[in-house]
mmCIF file of all heavy atoms in Angstrom:
data_model
loop_
_atom_site.group_PDB
_atom_site.id
_atom_site.type_symbol
_atom_site.label_atom_id
_atom_site.label_comp_id
_atom_site.label_asym_id
_atom_site.label_seq_id
_atom_site.Cartn_x
_atom_site.Cartn_y
_atom_site.Cartn_z
ATOM 1 N N ARG A 88 -33.490 -13.640 12.652
ATOM 2 C CA ARG A 88 -34.357 -13.250 13.785
ATOM 3 C C ARG A 88 -35.201 -14.456 14.186
ATOM 4 O O ARG A 88 -35.380 -14.706 15.404
ATOM 5 C CB ARG A 88 -35.332 -12.155 13.328
ATOM 6 C CG ARG A 88 -34.758 -10.773 13.455
ATOM 7 C CD ARG A 88 -35.768 -9.696 13.154
ATOM 8 N NE ARG A 88 -35.181 -8.344 13.329
ATOM 9 C CZ ARG A 88 -35.807 -7.260 12.964
ATOM 10 N NH1 ARG A 88 -36.967 -7.293 12.418
ATOM 11 N NH2 ARG A 88 -35.189 -6.098 13.171
ATOM 12 N N LYS A 89 -35.614 -15.226 13.177
ATOM 13 C CA LYS A 89 -36.412 -16.424 13.492
ATOM 14 C C LYS A 89 -35.531 -17.447 14.261
ATOM 15 O O LYS A 89 -35.993 -18.077 15.229
ATOM 16 C CB LYS A 89 -36.935 -16.998 12.166
ATOM 17 C CG LYS A 89 -38.011 -18.079 12.325
ATOM 18 C CD LYS A 89 -38.683 -18.321 11.009
ATOM 19 C CE LYS A 89 -39.305 -19.692 10.998
ATOM 20 N NZ LYS A 89 -38.379 -20.708 10.470
ATOM 21 N N ALA A 90 -34.298 -17.634 13.797
ATOM 22 C CA ALA A 90 -33.373 -18.567 14.462
ATOM 23 C C ALA A 90 -33.170 -18.191 15.917
ATOM 24 O O ALA A 90 -33.195 -19.026 16.795
ATOM 25 C CB ALA A 90 -32.037 -18.626 13.702
ATOM 26 N N CYS A 91 -33.026 -16.842 16.152
ATOM 27 C CA CYS A 91 -32.842 -16.363 17.500
ATOM 28 C C CYS A 91 -34.102 -16.709 18.363
ATOM 29 O O CYS A 91 -33.976 -17.172 19.477
ATOM 30 C CB CYS A 91 -32.605 -14.869 17.539
ATOM 31 S SG CYS A 91 -31.005 -14.381 16.912
ATOM 32 N N ALA A 92 -35.253 -16.440 17.734
ATOM 33 C CA ALA A 92 -36.485 -16.677 18.473
ATOM 34 C C ALA A 92 -36.627 -18.148 18.839
ATOM 35 O O ALA A 92 -37.100 -18.520 19.903
ATOM 36 C CB ALA A 92 -37.691 -16.213 17.640
ATOM 37 N N GLU A 93 -36.192 -19.028 17.916
ATOM 38 C CA GLU A 93 -36.284 -20.438 18.164
ATOM 39 C C GLU A 93 -35.364 -20.885 19.258
ATOM 40 O O GLU A 93 -35.620 -21.940 19.931
ATOM 41 C CB GLU A 93 -35.976 -21.226 16.873
ATOM 42 C CG GLU A 93 -37.183 -21.241 15.884
ATOM 43 C CD GLU A 93 -36.784 -21.619 14.462
ATOM 44 O OE1 GLU A 93 -35.617 -22.001 14.227
ATOM 45 O OE2 GLU A 93 -37.674 -21.617 13.589
ATOM 46 N N ALA A 94 -34.302 -20.122 19.532
ATOM 47 C CA ALA A 94 -33.422 -20.443 20.617
ATOM 48 C C ALA A 94 -33.853 -19.670 21.902
ATOM 49 O O ALA A 94 -33.085 -19.605 22.854
ATOM 50 C CB ALA A 94 -32.008 -20.074 20.217
ATOM 51 N N GLY A 95 -35.047 -19.087 21.826
ATOM 52 C CA GLY A 95 -35.572 -18.462 23.063
ATOM 53 C C GLY A 95 -35.162 -17.027 23.252
ATOM 54 O O GLY A 95 -35.364 -16.441 24.283
ATOM 55 N N LEU A 96 -34.534 -16.415 22.181
ATOM 56 C CA LEU A 96 -34.094 -15.070 22.337
ATOM 57 C C LEU A 96 -35.036 -14.093 21.658
ATOM 58 O O LEU A 96 -35.623 -14.457 20.649
ATOM 59 C CB LEU A 96 -32.670 -14.943 21.603
ATOM 60 C CG LEU A 96 -31.727 -13.874 22.101
ATOM 61 C CD1 LEU A 96 -31.373 -14.114 23.559
ATOM 62 C CD2 LEU A 96 -30.452 -13.958 21.250
ATOM 63 N N ASN A 97 -35.261 -12.969 22.227
ATOM 64 C CA ASN A 97 -36.121 -11.999 21.575
ATOM 65 C C ASN A 97 -35.548 -11.647 20.182
ATOM 66 O O ASN A 97 -34.354 -11.328 20.100
ATOM 67 C CB ASN A 97 -36.230 -10.750 22.460
ATOM 68 C CG ASN A 97 -37.172 -9.715 21.779
ATOM 69 O OD1 ASN A 97 -36.828 -9.037 20.852
ATOM 70 N ND2 ASN A 97 -38.395 -9.631 22.327
ATOM 71 N N PRO A 98 -36.287 -11.708 19.115
ATOM 72 C CA PRO A 98 -35.731 -11.545 17.758
ATOM 73 C C PRO A 98 -35.100 -10.145 17.544
ATOM 74 O O PRO A 98 -34.292 -10.001 16.657
ATOM 75 C CB PRO A 98 -36.904 -11.754 16.836
ATOM 76 C CG PRO A 98 -38.124 -11.661 17.699
ATOM 77 C CD PRO A 98 -37.726 -12.078 19.074
ATOM 78 N N TYR A 99 -35.443 -9.178 18.377
ATOM 79 C CA TYR A 99 -34.851 -7.844 18.188
ATOM 80 C C TYR A 99 -33.510 -7.727 18.862
ATOM 81 O O TYR A 99 -32.888 -6.673 18.823
ATOM 82 C CB TYR A 99 -35.845 -6.779 18.691
ATOM 83 C CG TYR A 99 -36.992 -6.687 17.679
ATOM 84 C CD1 TYR A 99 -38.136 -7.425 17.850
ATOM 85 C CD2 TYR A 99 -36.900 -5.811 16.605
ATOM 86 C CE1 TYR A 99 -39.170 -7.315 16.940
ATOM 87 C CE2 TYR A 99 -37.917 -5.685 15.667
ATOM 88 C CZ TYR A 99 -39.065 -6.482 15.860
ATOM 89 O OH TYR A 99 -40.070 -6.356 14.904
ATOM 90 N N LEU A 100 -33.010 -8.823 19.474
ATOM 91 C CA LEU A 100 -31.676 -8.781 20.083
ATOM 92 C C LEU A 100 -30.653 -9.296 19.052
ATOM 93 O O LEU A 100 -29.597 -9.791 19.394
ATOM 94 C CB LEU A 100 -31.640 -9.639 21.356
ATOM 95 C CG LEU A 100 -32.586 -9.089 22.451
ATOM 96 C CD1 LEU A 100 -32.615 -10.028 23.679
ATOM 97 C CD2 LEU A 100 -32.152 -7.691 22.855
ATOM 98 N N PHE A 101 -31.044 -9.199 17.807
ATOM 99 C CA PHE A 101 -30.200 -9.603 16.669
ATOM 100 C C PHE A 101 -29.813 -8.405 15.846
ATOM 101 O O PHE A 101 -30.610 -7.503 15.627
ATOM 102 C CB PHE A 101 -30.952 -10.621 15.855
ATOM 103 C CG PHE A 101 -30.327 -10.855 14.482
ATOM 104 C CD1 PHE A 101 -29.199 -11.646 14.435
ATOM 105 C CD2 PHE A 101 -30.808 -10.266 13.385
ATOM 106 C CE1 PHE A 101 -28.629 -11.855 13.162
ATOM 107 C CE2 PHE A 101 -30.219 -10.449 12.139
ATOM 108 C CZ PHE A 101 -29.112 -11.269 12.073
ATOM 109 N N GLU A 102 -28.528 -8.409 15.339
ATOM 110 C CA GLU A 102 -28.092 -7.320 14.448
ATOM 111 C C GLU A 102 -27.291 -7.923 13.334
ATOM 112 O O GLU A 102 -26.555 -8.895 13.545
ATOM 113 C CB GLU A 102 -27.282 -6.325 15.268
ATOM 114 C CG GLU A 102 -26.702 -5.158 14.463
ATOM 115 C CD GLU A 102 -27.846 -4.183 14.038
ATOM 116 O OE1 GLU A 102 -28.959 -4.217 14.543
ATOM 117 O OE2 GLU A 102 -27.558 -3.343 13.134
ATOM 118 N N MET A 103 -27.536 -7.424 12.153
ATOM 119 C CA MET A 103 -26.879 -8.006 10.974
ATOM 120 C C MET A 103 -25.752 -7.058 10.519
ATOM 121 O O MET A 103 -25.953 -5.854 10.480
ATOM 122 C CB MET A 103 -27.884 -8.154 9.872
ATOM 123 C CG MET A 103 -27.410 -9.000 8.750
ATOM 124 S SD MET A 103 -28.603 -10.272 8.392
ATOM 125 C CE MET A 103 -27.716 -11.252 7.269
ATOM 126 N N ALA A 104 -24.593 -7.595 10.150
ATOM 127 C CA ALA A 104 -23.525 -6.789 9.566
ATOM 128 C C ALA A 104 -23.365 -7.196 8.130
ATOM 129 O O ALA A 104 -23.114 -8.362 7.827
ATOM 130 C CB ALA A 104 -22.234 -7.036 10.357
ATOM 131 N N ASN A 105 -23.570 -6.254 7.267
ATOM 132 C CA ASN A 105 -23.576 -6.536 5.826
ATOM 133 C C ASN A 105 -22.156 -6.474 5.265
ATOM 134 O O ASN A 105 -21.649 -5.378 4.876
ATOM 135 C CB ASN A 105 -24.472 -5.539 5.125
ATOM 136 C CG ASN A 105 -24.634 -5.794 3.653
ATOM 137 O OD1 ASN A 105 -23.865 -6.581 3.027
ATOM 138 N ND2 ASN A 105 -25.530 -5.108 3.025
#
Side-chain angles (χ1 to χ4, degrees):
Chain A
R88 275 187 177 170
K89 193 165 155 270
C91 289
E93 282 164 4
L96 206 61
N97 182 284
Y99 288 89
L100 297 176
F101 166 77
E102 181 69 14
M103 193 128 189
N105 183 347

